Amino acid sequence: MGSSKCEGNSKSPRLVIALSEVPYFVNPPSPPPPHLSYACDPKGDTAISALPFCDRSLTDEERVEDLISRLTVREKITQLVNTAANVSRLGIPAYEWWGEGLHGVAISPSVNFGGEVPAATSFPQPILTAGSFNTALWNSIGQVVSTEGRAIYNQGRSGLTYWSPNINIVRDPRWGRTQETPGEDPKLTSTYAVYFVKGLQEGHYDGSQTPNIGGPKRLKISACCKHFTAHDLDNWKGYDRNHFDAKVTIQDLEDTYNPPFRSCVEDGRSSSLMCSYNRVNGVPTCADYNFLTETVRNTWGLDGYIVSDCDAVKVMHESIDYAFTAEDAVADALNAGLDLNCGSYLSTYTQSAIGVGKVNSSRIDAALYNLFLVRMRLGMFDGPTNQTYGSLGPGDVCSDAHQELAVEAARQGIVLLKNRNQTLPLYRGGQTTLAVIGPNANASHVMLGNYAGVPCKYITPLQGLVLLGIGDYDKVHYAPGCLDTACADIDHIPHATEVASRADAVVLVVGLTQEQEAEFHDRKTLLLPGHQQDLISAVAGSVLPGRPVVLVVMSGGPVDISFAKADSRIQSILWVGYPGQAGGQAITEIIFGDHNPGGRLPVSWYPEMYTHIDMADMRMRPDNSSGYPGRTYRFHTGPMIYPFGYGLSYTTFAHQFASAPSAVTVPTLQEQMCGSDGGPSGKLLCSEKDRGTCKNSMFTVSVIVQNLGDRGGNHQVLLFSSPPRAGVNGAPLKQLLDFQSVYLSPGAQRELVFSIDPCRHLSRVKEDGSHLLDAGAHVFRVGAIKHSVVFL
């Protein structure tokens, strides 16, 4: 890990700092890895390898059915938990299902860093990479995580089942796990899920391969959509996720909470889904047959396994008394469609649940079929010589290309919120001295956020600004201003202002850490912690007029920085999320103009008055009678500091609608319902004519984008629409239809084409969960331009 210290007196500090080349270990040195064993290894037990479940000429399904038929009841039960036991007589090794790969291979029960793989590439938290609105980037990150995951598995140090991504909607900005998600918008979150999961699994989704060369539906690693559903409260003013009963309308489930999971399963082909701790309308999600079986498996077509959040089955009996006995909890979960229990309840109580007739053995076999089929698709039975990804090794972890992608992800996600008088970028040589101030200015592991691994190396903001920005130790002066982000006292502020007063430019790096926002820890305030605002204002007031003051906010969730937005002494503001292992490099490159920021906010930023809203209120839509303002940019009627999709650039982009229809015929109600699958159940008898009519109403919208400035840059083109009666009858004020990311050189222009399916994209969700396309003028927006399409 790099070091930094000040030498000499406080008035003239000498900064000594070096880039980290050694990983910062957050877990102790690990023991040697176990031998990686396969039940059907040709070099193993010949009697076992001769059994049908080892016969690679059979389909995976046939092999799994044979395997299950050979297990005793007790052996079957030991496979229903994340710590699956070995079945030595069949050569099946023990297996730990629980792995995490949210933004890089993470420390988790199945991952054991050490030996030749002491670290893995640590990307920014998803809330930041979502701000890139770049599907190719998300897919590339998924591919790197799966490559490194496979390489670590081949070293005997991990499993192949990763419980990522987190695709819950950020309904409330106080949620501690906002950092893990793609944000507040169903379209953005759904699209992120699809591209990230496809990158992780990188399998043969169409089944086109023959069994002799790897088999159909083979997976690189197994992804998991979590946490299904309406899960976005951890611990807030007496509510906690274990006990919380989310009161959710069918309308909001269909319109907001469930779409990302549907896309993850249907389009991303995720091989797993995790049910959440909370109840929805009185029923724990892990015990809801309508959710798990009717919706996820039968309607959306999950081809994989359903796992509980950890100890969620136990919670059903021991925390909320939903289940009268432990056996009832096990039966409720299994009979609802659960296949795997993260925890020990199923291994402990399933036998007795069978004994008293609460669980049928056929349901156990169905769960095992889903579990072993995923392991078979991962190649975990077929021996090292038969592995599609068996050649991946230590050289494929922390490679230069992977680490460069981590930097690029941070570059593309960082959002420029303010740039008064084009203060940024700073020019090298234009400043004699630079003051770097703030509790996150030299942040290292803070940049990773939660669910992180051991990074290949760190580049902190301070390291980046010294070595990649100014390039001269003597010209950079560092003062944290606070001991930590809690900033409980003002003792260190005077030194920070003194350092700032002598500088030609100041970079303030403030924000949050896992102490303020994390799993099981929601925020009660949107303000910066402690005396951080006092620090910022004092520093801004100490700088000579005209000298740049750049505020950098490191956080997962939104922060009320309205004071800084209004303060003319603070010329520029950047939001950098939790930017990953090389966040300091990306921040520096943007501040000094090596990269033109193009990120957009994936969540709206609100003033502190938002905290008057009850966080436990799950309603998305406003209620004028009670003064409830609604949630997210789609429905919220109150004030915002920065809206969803906001972001500035160092250049100017112009937009023009090149082509779009002015009028379209509205399909009949029956045709609309067929086109949108009829609502939450997705069941509707539709003729081919009905389906075809809705499909034939599709049209395209073409937008020309031009870079009018003298700098090239990424530009995120967001296409929004507003319905004819926006905000009336539950209709959104506006909603994101689609988006594309494009790089444009100075003066260049591109035409982008968006395909619109009116029955799906423009319909509103009614109270009963069905979709309705309203007649009238639908207004399309890109930036400041508008175009109306009238539906007749």
Side-chain angles (χ1 to χ4, degrees):
M1 182 178 178
S3 60
S4 63
K5 61 182 180 179
C6 293
E7 297 179 352
N9 61 56
S10 61
K11 289 185 178 293
S12 183
R14 159 80 173 167
L15 191 65
V16 179
I17 193 165
L19 285 182
S20 162
E21 295 296 340
V22 180
Y24 171 78
F25 283 92
V26 292
N27 59 343
S30 57
H35 173 66
L36 189 59
S37 58
Y38 301 84
C40 302
D41 191 339
K43 297 181 180 179
D45 189 317
T46 55
I48 294 174
S49 60
L51 295 173
F53 74 80
C54 288
D55 186 348
R56 296 180 67 245
S57 69
L58 300 177
T59 66
D60 288 341
E61 291 79 4
E62 291 169 330
R63 295 174 66 184
V64 168
E65 288 174 354
D66 177 75
L67 171 59
I68 294 172
S69 72
R70 298 177 185 279
L71 298 174
T72 67
V73 172
R74 185 58 211 161
E75 287 170 340
K76 291 177 179 180
I77 291 172
T78 65
Q79 302 301 304
L80 298 176
V81 292
N82 64 290
T83 52
N86 71 74
V87 184
S88 56
R89 66 184 185 86
L90 295 177
I92 301 173
Y95 183 65
E96 172 58 71
W97 286 83
W98 183 356
E100 300 285 356
L102 182 70
H103 54 113
V105 177
I107 295 168
S108 47
S110 75
V111 177
N112 183 18
F113 287 110
E116 294 186 80
V117 283
T121 307
S122 189
F123 292 92
Q125 279 280 33
I127 195 65
L128 186 67
T129 49
S132 70
F133 286 82
N134 188 338
T135 57
L137 175 66
W138 304 335
N139 187 255
S140 295
I141 293 172
Q143 290 183 41
V144 168
V145 175
S146 60
T147 292
E148 297 196 348
R150 264 287 175 169
I152 295 171
Y153 169 78
N154 291 341
Q155 295 294 302
R157 290 189 173 274
S158 75
L160 290 175
T161 44
Y162 283 73
W163 293 346
S164 301
N166 180 342
I167 54 172
N168 293 116
I169 293 294
V170 179
R171 170 186 56 95
D172 192 294
R174 292 165 285 186
W175 187 30
R177 302 186 74 171
T178 293
Q179 61 191 290
E180 302 174 33
T181 76
E184 70 181 43
D185 182 71
K187 172 63 178 179
L188 172 62
T189 304
S190 297
T191 307
Y192 178 93
V194 171
Y195 282 89
F196 185 69
V197 165
K198 284 187 174 182
L200 287 177
Q201 297 193 155
E202 217 172 284
H204 307 293
Y205 298 105
D206 60 359
S208 60
Q209 278 198 326
T210 64
N212 291 331
I213 56 172
K217 300 182 181 179
R218 288 288 160 155
L219 301 168
K220 192 176 181 185
I221 66 172
S222 169
C224 176
C225 320
K226 67 181 187 185
H227 314 78
F228 184 71
T229 181
H231 175 77
D232 55 5
L233 182 152
D234 269 61
N235 192 348
W236 179 84
K237 292 187 177 181
Y239 294 97
D240 71 77
R241 64 189 187 183
N242 289 354
H243 297 83
F244 184 53
D245 185 4
K247 302 299 183 183
V248 188
T249 65
I250 295 174
Q251 186 179 35
D252 285 339
L253 280 174
E254 173 70 9
D255 184 62
T256 298
Y257 295 112
N258 285 356
F261 293 95
R262 181 169 193 163
S263 294
C264 196
V265 171
E266 287 188 338
D267 302 319
R269 305 282 184 91
S270 176
S271 52
S272 177
L273 176 139
M274 177 183 286
C275 52
S276 55
Y277 290 107
N278 56 287
R279 286 166 284 172
V280 173
N281 301 325
V283 182
T285 64
C286 293
D288 195 316
Y289 180 85
N290 180 59
F291 277 165
L292 303 190
T293 297
E294 287 294 335
T295 301
V296 174
R297 195 167 295 282
N298 293 345
T299 301
W300 298 347
L302 176 69
D303 186 7
Y305 70 98
I306 298 175
V307 59
S308 74
D309 209 337
C310 295
D311 282 331
V313 180
K314 178 181 178 180
V315 163
M316 288 160 52
H317 170 57
E318 298 189 14
S319 296
I320 62 174
D321 296 324
Y322 176 83
F324 186 69
T325 67
E327 287 77 11
D328 287 328
V330 166
D332 288 343
L334 284 170
N335 293 333
L338 188 77
D339 301 309
L340 185 70
N341 171 208
C342 180
S344 60
Y345 241 51
L346 261 61
S347 63
T348 305
Y349 297 107
T350 299
Q351 185 80 60
S352 53
I354 293 174
V356 295
K358 294 180 183 292
V359 176
N360 191 293
S361 60
S362 63
R363 177 64 196 104
I364 305 299
D365 288 352
L368 292 177
Y369 179 87
N370 295 328
L371 293 169
F372 279 118
L373 188 57
V374 167
R375 290 177 70 174
M376 196 71 73
R377 291 171 64 189
L378 287 163
M380 296 175 69
F381 284 81
D382 294 336
T385 60
N386 295 316
Q387 295 302 306
T388 305
Y389 307 101
S391 62
L392 295 173
D396 298 293
V397 181
C398 286
S399 68
D400 290 344
H402 292 180
Q403 294 192 67
E404 172 58 27
L405 185 64
V407 180
E408 182 63 19
R411 291 183 190 118
Q412 291 196 30
I414 289 174
V415 182
L416 179 63
L417 296 174
K418 178 182 179 181
N419 199 24
R420 185 170 175 265
N421 297 327
Q422 290 74 53
T423 296
L424 289 181
L426 302 181
Y427 295 93
R428 290 181 177 86
Q431 288 77 37
T432 303
T433 57
L434 177 70
V436 182
I437 294 169
N440 277 338
N442 201 28
S444 54
H445 64 278
V446 169
M447 296 191 299
L448 307 184
N450 64 359
Y451 284 89
V454 179
C456 311
K457 64 182 180 184
Y458 286 119
I459 303 175
T460 74
L462 178 60
Q463 290 170 333
L465 289 165
V466 171
L467 298 175
L468 307 174
I470 294 295
D472 187 336
Y473 295 109
D474 293 324
K475 291 185 177 181
V476 178
H477 304 291
Y478 166 56
C482 304
L483 290 176
D484 52 34
T485 53
C487 205
D489 58 61
I490 60 175
D491 296 348
H492 299 271
I493 294 179
H495 177 240
T497 59
E498 192 274 333
V499 169
S501 69
R502 295 182 286 106
D504 294 309
V506 175
V507 176
L508 276 154
V509 190
V510 301
L512 310 177
T513 69
Q514 301 307 296
E515 294 298 316
Q516 287 85 38
E517 56 175 353
E519 184 171 1
F520 212 66
H521 183 48
D522 300 322
R523 289 187 286 162
K524 294 180 176 61
T525 177
L526 296 179
L527 298 174
L528 286 166
H531 293 281
Q532 285 195 43
Q533 181 171 333
D534 297 327
L535 169 66
I536 295 166
S537 296
V539 167
S542 70
V543 177
L544 292 176
R547 295 189 175 181
V549 177
V550 179
L551 180 65
V552 177
V553 180
M554 190 178 294
S555 69
V559 181
D560 182 350
I561 54 168
S562 50
F563 75 96
K565 179 183 179 182
D567 191 337
S568 61
R569 300 170 302 178
I570 301 170
Q571 294 96 334
S572 302
I573 303 174
L574 291 168
W575 174 69
V576 301
Y578 292 119
Q581 65 175 49
Q585 178 178 343
I587 292 168
T588 300
E589 290 177 348
I590 287 176
I591 287 176
F592 284 94
D594 303 312
H595 179 80
N596 187 352
R600 304 288 195 96
L601 288 179
V603 288
S604 301
W605 286 36
Y606 304 94
E608 176 67 3
M609 65 181 295
Y610 190 96
T611 59
H612 296 152
I613 301 173
D614 184 351
M615 191 174 174
D617 194 325
M618 301 295 292
R619 291 175 296 168
M620 297 304 300
R621 288 156 172 82
D623 180 357
N624 294 331
S625 63
S626 64
Y628 180 69
R631 304 280 191 173
T632 77
Y633 81 97
R634 296 170 67 224
F635 302 105
H636 185 70
T637 55
M640 294 181 184
I641 300 173
Y642 296 109
F644 170 87
Y646 181 85
L648 304 175
S649 170
Y650 293 157
T651 190
T652 301
F653 294 97
H655 310 94
Q656 176 187 348
F657 282 108
S659 66
S662 57
V664 176
T665 301
V666 178
T668 67
L669 181 61
Q670 173 77 4
E671 293 160 0
Q672 288 183 41
M673 294 180 70
C674 290
S676 62
D677 295 328
S681 68
K683 293 182 177 179
L684 188 70
L685 294 177
C686 294
S687 68
E688 288 302 315
K689 175 182 178 296
D690 290 333
R691 290 184 184 277
T693 303
C694 216
K695 188 175 181 179
N696 291 339
S697 69
M698 292 179 63
F699 59 87
T700 60
V701 172
S702 296
V703 177
I704 294 177
V705 188
Q706 184 176 9
N707 184 349
L708 301 180
D710 58 1
R711 288 178 176 270
N714 293 316
H715 184 53
Q716 322 320 324
V717 181
L718 278 53
L719 177 64
F720 292 94
S721 74
S722 294
R725 288 168 290 280
V728 179
N729 294 327
L733 299 170
K734 69 174 183 176
Q735 61 185 357
L736 182 66
L737 292 184
D738 206 351
F739 54 89
Q740 294 185 44
S741 176
V742 60
Y743 180 88
L744 291 174
S745 300
Q749 69 177 35
R750 282 272 301 277
E751 182 174 355
L752 305 179
V753 180
F754 299 90
S755 295
I756 305 299
D757 181 343
C759 294
R760 284 183 174 273
H761 298 150
L762 300 177
S763 60
R764 62 178 171 87
V765 177
K766 298 167 62 180
E767 289 184 1
D768 63 1
S770 63
H771 293 244
L772 176 66
L773 176 61
D774 289 315
H778 291 251
V779 180
F780 290 72
R781 292 179 171 87
V782 174
I785 65 170
K786 299 179 182 180
H787 175 79
S788 292
V789 178
V790 178
F791 283 81
L792 306 171

